[in-house]
């Protein structure tokens, strides 16, 4: 399959490599020439613009930081919509707000191009290993069409509903993740302050009704889960500023829908405090530092 | 083993019955004579006071609403400490604040009686089936001593550390439970408001990083988990007012420890709003009504 | 002075009328022809576009719902910047985010036009009476230049600093207003629930350290301040949805600045709950309904 | 008038001195003998117990840290109720929960003693100067009876309603004070982060709808109000731990009344964070340190 891949950052580059490995032919575009060169070395063709990349392909994949970038890449004079053939599919794997995804889908539909929102979870590790989860918003026919291509980059390809619903699934999950992580930080810190051994407390919670991924797989207290960022100084993992981005998308979507997000809005302020302190690059589980001195400088 | 059982409410009565079934001899006391009669019919002896019940037994079990009741039952002129033999053990299965548990342990120790805090989870269903979880605070020797007796009433007997740590484990777990449930309510309601199918969203969350007991086992959205209270009008289960009691204990313990509980304090206000509206008797997952019209009257 | 006035809504129309009354000559533009006709009847000239309105004037005043509208009015092909003479001043009285104001100022400066942000407080009553407060962001020279014109529409013309600082002052004040109003609602409701007479409580608060505008001038409890919306069913006044807009601007600015707004974010959710319930059109002091049955249907 | 004064701490001692200065005869009691000696030197008689102090007086005044102390002083074997003459009045100026005040009133009434709750505001400065505000809960007859005596210690004597209502007024006012102070800290910090001059912002807020005592009289930003603790390193004033005590009383009363206090509970966590950091002794306006580096070490 002939594919254009636009956006070769920490996530996009390994995703594109996996497409190449699975035998697809790739046009690539990024403003960062070093990133482009890596893909060219692996067999891709460099394009001079999103328009050039999109010309003559069956599918365009975009992986960009925010909705504003997606808009520019799609609608600029030298953008994707200026070059893409009628009927070719656009798959946006960026995490953006659902309303923008739906607006882009409308724009694309006017030109005869199906638009699919397919944000991912799994981080840079999952991108490299080809084990990402794709949350896909598309009608059933288009979903079946893009599924094999996505399977070259991910392990779980989940159909979430029509356009925009991939983004909805992503931000709702991450809203809950942001809340549960801060909740675990709060409960673990309280327990330790009251004298319980943190491993004992985690053991009880993990076999009881407080059980959650933030506790049993990614516990923010150091030394509970050996593979979690908490056990290596909160390095690697999912950065606080990335969590803030997703909580911001959730809060904005909630505002549009006039839907209160009490705990989410409060959790957002907690991560924002971390970011203000210069810890936006640490894994988001470092939010526990607001509750407890875990051996770090704060 | 000769045991005194004091407090024959919704939890205490079935627990006492399980002790009888396992061959123990029981003195029972409660202000409610109907509750006492049920136990007497099953083979227990009725006592005229906590003091009388405690006289001549190897172990006293208390299961009472709050610390004030435990204090009265232990220290009144006709209370447990006035009758109990030196060396006999006191096991309090009430959910109370850790500091009170530690104060009672000190009082009991002065008379030569080990005191064990052993709050439970599992609800009235677990009490009847003998499948409760006991979170036990005691030194190792006393823990080994009471474990077989507790095993007659429960399935999981967990040693949480010294006196008070059973209570710490219980309130920290339930603090987190109160937060995650409100978090799931928030995320599910936002998703539905944005157009996603609630079953699809729950399916994604439950296999992703938002996964938690409040979502995969006890989801507050109707129709997601057939056995959850949400699928039967929020009846049965763990009442909002009971959750409020536990969040209150957590908040008070946090205040004493000068430990912030941002999300817990906010969750407490949400459940308090439900209680104010007259819904304190509904299962605590009904907190979703604050976010979303789930077919109920609010 | 020859002025273009763009945006003749509930606020803009009476403001423009006051400019006419003070002897200024006006070009006006709005998409709503009825609004335009009212101004024409009062002596203004109707223009076919923002560009046409801006052509040949010394000053352009814009009064629009949001930053997106200001951007379109300024930068469209038939926009203000396409028609305005070099050196003429642009005064934007819309309430928008400070970053957009600063971006517009940069665009305008490139064409040689000073740009002033001058959001107002005082509501439609103040607009009609010419008693608005203008919070002005501009350098000192430009401020002195526009001050006399603003004085035709308002009573207090306050210099807040350079471009953008008018918007900063506005959103910070309204952030605090949204918090204090919900705080008064909370304190009054708690007091009444505990048995105190609301007039007695308000009297004490208003002469003590809890004193604030939301309590002494605009108390949300019915019957405390006769002229407040609470005493007429929460009609008129400053709508909940307008407060939500301003809290949204504050939250977004805080996000950009990585500055936590704990209470503001929570207050936002409270007003959002009101809006979700269909009460977005009521005065924002109706937030007390979340705490207390004040004789209304909730 | 012959009066017993019990509790000679930072507040009680200067209050008792003012009673002496106004010609009253005083029996005094405190566990701290140095405090007793100061009063004896000024003309008071030292008593060996609350009972002894209360014997033969027309009125007993108590000024103690918490409800538990009041209970002990009233009901112990050597307590006030064991010595006081039938008909003599008890005035408790401690800040405690309204329910305890009402319970003490019931106890006292059973012995024929009117009980008045009369908590104060005004701090140690007001206590020394005799300018305290007394918030008095009592029936009208008893209120008139104690008013002249209270006027020897304070400037504003406010009748808040029946027994308990003095405490209700105090905790509702301080709940609002805790919220408005954190709100001002949030708004000032956001403004400064966005570039506005803090004096300009305070000036605007103080003449606009954000106006409140926490901004115009006690602004938490250094250098805005010269006489405020913020301008002298947050020393003196009303300590964070005292604010925490009052917010705790409000939260507990709200819990009993099933009344949500969203903002109050969140504010409580903010002050609790300060206290955890070792800043419980600083003036409560130092809560701004959580938002902003105001030249201090955090």
């Amino acid at each position: 399959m002939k594919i254009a891949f636009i956006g070769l950052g920490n996530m996009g580059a390994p995703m594109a490599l996996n497409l190449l490995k699975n035998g697809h032919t790739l046009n690539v575009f990024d403003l960062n020439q070093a990133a482009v060169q890596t893909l060219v070395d692996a067999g891709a063709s460099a394009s001079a613009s999103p328009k050039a990349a999109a010309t003559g392909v069956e599918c365009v994949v975009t992986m960009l930081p925010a909705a504003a970038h997606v808009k520019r890449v799609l609608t600029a004079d030298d953008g994707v919509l200026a070059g893409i053939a009628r009927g070719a599919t656009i798959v946006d794997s960026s995490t953006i707000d659902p309303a923008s995804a739906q607006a882009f889908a409308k724009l694309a539909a006017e030109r005869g191009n199906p638009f699919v929102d397919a944000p991912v979870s799994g981080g840079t590790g999952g991108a490299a290993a080809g084990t990402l989860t794709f949350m896909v918003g598309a009608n059933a026919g288009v979903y079946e069409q893009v599924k094999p291509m996505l399977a070259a980059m991910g392990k779980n390809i989940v159909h979430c509903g029509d356009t925009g619903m991939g983004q909805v699934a992503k931000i709702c999950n991450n809203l809950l993740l942001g809340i549960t992580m801060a909740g675990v930080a709060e409960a673990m810190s309280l327990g330790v302050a009251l004298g319980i051994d943190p491993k004992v407390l985690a053991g009880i919670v993990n076999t009881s009704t407080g059980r959650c991924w933030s506790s049993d797989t990614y516990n923010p207290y150091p030394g509970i889960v050996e593979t979690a960022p908490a056990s290596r100084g909160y390095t690697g993992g999912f950065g606080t500023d990335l969590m803030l981005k997703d909580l911001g998308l959730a809060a904005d979507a909630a505002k549009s829908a006039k839907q209160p997000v009490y705990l989410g809005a409060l959790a957002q302020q907690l991560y924002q405090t971390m970011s203000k302190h210069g810890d936006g690059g640490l894994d988001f589980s470092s939010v526990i530092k607001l509750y407890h001195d875990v051996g770090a400088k704060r």
Side-chain angles (χ1 to χ4, degrees), chain A:
Chain A
M1 195 168 170
K2 199 158 170 49
I3 300 171
F5 203 108
I6 297 167
L8 303 169
N10 291 333
M11 292 296 292
M15 289 167 69
L17 283 169
N18 277 325
L19 286 177
L20 284 174
K21 277 183 207 156
N22 275 266
H24 296 290
T25 304
L26 246 64
N27 290 345
V28 297
F29 176 81
D30 198 288
L31 296 174
N32 176 346
Q33 288 311 313
V36 170
Q37 192 56 48
T38 302
L39 266 293
V40 168
D41 292 347
S45 306
S47 300
S49 68
K51 176 182 176 182
T55 305
V57 302
E58 296 159 75
C59 182
V60 174
V61 180
T62 51
M63 188 60 174
L64 297 159
H69 307 87
V70 179
K71 187 177 184 183
R72 208 177 315 138
V73 157
L74 293 182
T75 64
D77 289 346
D78 66 347
V80 166
L81 292 176
I84 195 169
R86 196 176 175 83
T89 306
I90 300 168
V91 176
D92 178 34
S93 280
S94 319
T95 297
I96 64 172
D97 62 290
S100 290
Q102 288 163 338
F104 298 150
K106 210 177 148 202
L107 273 181
E110 285 166 8
R111 315 245 185 162
N113 297 107
F115 176 95
V116 176
D117 54 307
V120 302
S121 70
T124 53
T131 57
L132 292 171
T133 292
F134 282 87
M135 288 160 269
V136 186
N139 72 42
V142 174
Y143 169 70
E144 291 302 332
Q145 215 177 308
V146 298
K147 196 176 170 182
M149 182 199 67
L150 297 177
M153 300 182 282
K155 204 172 55 176
N156 300 304
I157 319 298
V158 187
H159 189 204
C160 301
D162 261 337
T163 317
M165 295 305 118
Q167 301 294 356
V168 169
K170 172 87 188 271
I171 65 177
C172 288
N173 181 75
N174 282 15
L175 169 68
L176 182 53
L177 173 60
I179 293 168
T180 57
M181 180 55 78
V184 172
E186 201 160 299
M188 291 294 299
S189 300
L190 176 60
V192 170
L194 295 174
I196 203 168
D197 181 293
K199 288 196 179 182
V200 169
L201 178 55
I204 290 162
V205 164
N206 292 344
T207 54
S208 184
T209 51
R211 168 175 62 76
C212 55
W213 184 89
S214 294
S215 176
D216 63 24
T217 303
Y218 213 83
N219 200 293
Y221 201 92
I224 305 294
V225 176
E226 284 311 321
T227 55
S231 299
R232 54 173 192 265
Y234 303 101
T235 56
F238 183 55
T240 294
D241 281 344
L242 291 173
M243 174 49 83
L244 267 176
K245 180 197 160 190
D246 290 0
L247 287 173
L249 290 172
D252 286 348
K255 191 164 65 173
S256 306
K258 298 196 171 190
Q259 184 65 36
V261 283
Y262 288 95
L263 295 171
L266 178 52
Q268 191 180 3
Q269 307 310 312
L270 294 170
Y271 295 107
Q272 209 143 292
T273 300
M274 288 301 291
S275 188
K276 175 185 173 66
H277 288 169
D279 288 342
L282 293 184
D283 181 74
F284 79 116
S285 64
S286 63
V287 72
I288 198 173
K289 291 187 186 188
L290 293 177
Y291 293 98
H292 194 70
D293 183 345
V294 286
K297 66 191 151 122
R298 178 151 312 101

